[in-house]
Amino acid sequence: MDVNEVMKRAKRVLDGYISYRKAVLVVLVLLVIILYSGPSLFRLIIRTRPSFISEDSATRSLSLRLDRFWQASQENDAHVLHTPALPGEQPYLPYVGNGHIAVTMDQDSPIYIRNGRTLSLPINFRPVTLVSLDGMTVKEAIVTEYTTGIVHRIQSWDQPGIGPLDITYQTYAHRSMPSLLFQDIKVFNPTDQDAIVDVEQMGLGDWPTATTETIKLQHGEGEHEYLVVSGSVELPNSNAIPVSIVSYKVPSSLQIEAKKSIALHIVTAVNYSEPVPKKAYATAKDIATQGALAALRRAVTGNIKKLRNDHSKVWKELWSSGFGISHSKAENALNGDLINTTLYHVLSQAPAPLYEVLTTEDRRASILRDIAYAEGCYGGHQTLQAERLWSRLDTVDDVNTVVGYWMVTLEKQGCHQLVRAGANGIMQAMLLSFGGMRFKNQHLEFNTHPRDLHRDYYFRRLSYGNATHLNISVMVQEEDYKAIIYTALDRSDKNYYACDAGCLDPPVELKQARQAFPVKLTEPVTAILYITSDKVHMEELKHTIHVKEIAVAPAHEHHVIAMHKHGHKWGGLPTIFWLTIIALIVIFHLFLIKLVINEYCGGDVKVRYSAWSSED
C-alpha cells in the first residue's frame, strides 16, 4: 500500500460519520496518553522554558549565583533557604559554629558560647554585618554548605532601569582557630552607574558589665580600627565567665564604582575562660582580652583565602566519614536532608581539638588514642528510630535541644571517650548509633534487627581504629525484597574478617572490593554482622553465640517497600492511576448501559415502522 492510498483512506475516515463508540474510544485513548505523558511533557516545558519569563533581573541574577550549589543541595550536602521560603524548602536554621562560638545569620543574633554540653549562652554582642541599598527591594537566599562549614548569603538588589546589584557573604566560625568569626562580604556593581550602599552591624547591646575601648592595628594596606569589648556573664552559682570580644569597626557606607566590585573582610575574635569566682574576675578578664587580641593578630596578618581554605579543609575531613539512606516518600519518614542537617549542627557545637593550632602534640596523640579505642560504643538501639533526636531545627532553641539530646545519648551509651575526642569522635559515635553498631571485645557488631532493613543504607569510612576504615552498605533487592549487606575496606593496616549472623560460615577476608553477606535472623536475635582483625577470635566466636534457629531473614512485605518508594502501598503506580482506572470502569458501564438502551429503543421503533408500512 503506497502513501497515496493511505492518505485517501484517512481522508475517507475523517470525512465519514464517526460513531458514538469510536468517539468514546478516541477520547479514552487521548485521556490515557495525556495522563501518562502530560506530567512529563509539563516538566520538560517548565525545565526548558526561558528563565526570563515572569522573572525580574534581580531574581535571574540570584538564580545564576545559586546554580553552583544545586548539585550539593540535591545530594543533601547543602541547604538552600530563600527569603521568603519557596514551596518545599525546609526552614532549617542557618548557623555557624566551631564548638567554641556560634552565631545565626539573623542580624540580631548574639554570639553564643559554651554552657555545659551546648553553645547556648548568649553574649549580647551582635556581630552579623549586613549591606543594603536604600529604597530598593532585595531578592535573597541563604545557603548552608555543610561540607565546608560556610554559610553563604546571596542578595540581589533590584534597581529599576539600572540593573541588579549583587552582594555575597561568606560567614564561618574558624575550625582551627576557634576564637575567630569571619565575614567576607563582596559587593558587585555590573551597572553603568556608581552605587552607594549602607553597612550596618548592630554590635554591642545591653550588657551592663561590658567596657569598651577602640584600638588601631596596622595590617594590609593601612591602619584599621577595632572595638574591644570586655565583660562578664553572671552564673547562678555566684561565679562569672570573663569574655572579651575584639571586632573590626565597619564603615557606615561603601561606594562601588560602575563595573567594579569591592570586598569587606570582617574579623571578630572572641575569647573566654571557664567560670571563675568573682574575686578572680579582673585577672581572668585581662587574660581573656590578651587571648582575643593574639587571635585577632594571627588572623589579620594571614592570607584571607588561605584561612578560609584551612577552615574548609577541616570540615571536609570531618565529612570524609558519613551516612547515606535511600529517599523515602512515606509520611514523616526520616530522610537524608534532616540527617545531614542534624549532623552539621551537632558538629558545629563540638570542638575539633585535633586540628586546632594551639593543640599540643601530647594532646593530639591523646585524641587519636581516644578515637582508636571505641570499646563499648554504641550500647543502645539504633538512633534512626529515635524521634526525639530528629526534631525540628528551625530555631536556636530547637538546635540546642537536639544537640543536647545527642550529646547525653552518646555519653550514656558508652561513647563518652569518642565524645571527649571532639568532632571527629562524635561523628564516628553518631554513625555507629545509626546502625546500632557496637565495638565489643575485639570485634564490631552490626546489631540492627533484620525487619528494620527495609531501606538502603550506606556507612562511609566507618573508623576501626585510626588506620582502618570500613564501608558498609545494606541494599534491598528489587526482585525479592530481601536485604543484603555489602562490606569493603576503605583502607587498612592489617587483614580483617567478617561473618554473618551466628558466624556458622567460615570467616571471609575483607578486601577493597565489596563482598556480600546475607541478612540472617536468629532465635534469639543476635547481631547480623561481625568484623574483626583476629581470625582466631572470629572462628571461636560461633561457639559463644548460642542460638536455637538461624535462617535467611524473610523478605520484606511489598506494601512496606512500596510505602517508602512511592508514598503509598499500591506499588509503583501512582494514586492517580488507580483513580483513573476506577473512572474508566464507571465510564465503561455508563457507556454499556447507554448502548443497551439505544439498541432496545431503536429496535422497537424500526419494528413498528415496518408493521405500519405493510398495512398501508
Side-chain angles (χ1 to χ4, degrees), residues 600-615:
Y600 175 76
C601 294
D604 187 45
V605 170
K606 290 179 181 179
V607 170
R608 291 177 184 175
Y609 179 79
S610 299
W612 294 337
S613 297
S614 60
E615 287 176 0

Side-chain angles (χ1 to χ4, degrees), residues 22-37 584:
K22 289 182 179 179
V24 172
L25 181 61
V26 170
V27 170
L28 291 180
V29 171
L30 289 176
L31 283 174
V32 171
I33 293 173
I34 293 173
L35 176 65
Y36 292 103
S37 301
L584 290 176

Side-chain angles (χ1 to χ4, degrees), residues 294-368:
L296 182 74
R297 290 191 179 96
R298 284 195 298 271
V300 298
T301 56
N303 181 278
I304 293 294
K305 185 175 181 180
K306 184 179 184 303
L307 287 168
R308 184 167 57 245
N309 289 340
D310 290 344
H311 163 81
S312 297
K313 184 179 178 181
V314 175
W315 270 101
K316 289 177 180 177
E317 179 64 26
L318 293 174
W319 283 100
S320 62
S321 296
F323 176 76
I325 188 171
S326 59
H327 184 78
S328 172
K329 295 182 179 180
E331 187 177 2
N332 299 322
L334 176 63
N335 281 311
D337 60 337
L338 182 55
I339 291 174
N340 278 4
T341 303
T342 302
L343 279 167
Y344 171 77
H345 281 294
V346 173
L347 295 177
S348 294
Q349 295 217 23
L354 189 63
Y355 305 107
E356 292 175 7
V357 294
L358 297 182
T359 301
T360 65
E361 288 303 317
D362 288 344
R363 171 68 175 136
R364 193 168 280 111
S366 175
I367 294 169
L368 290 174

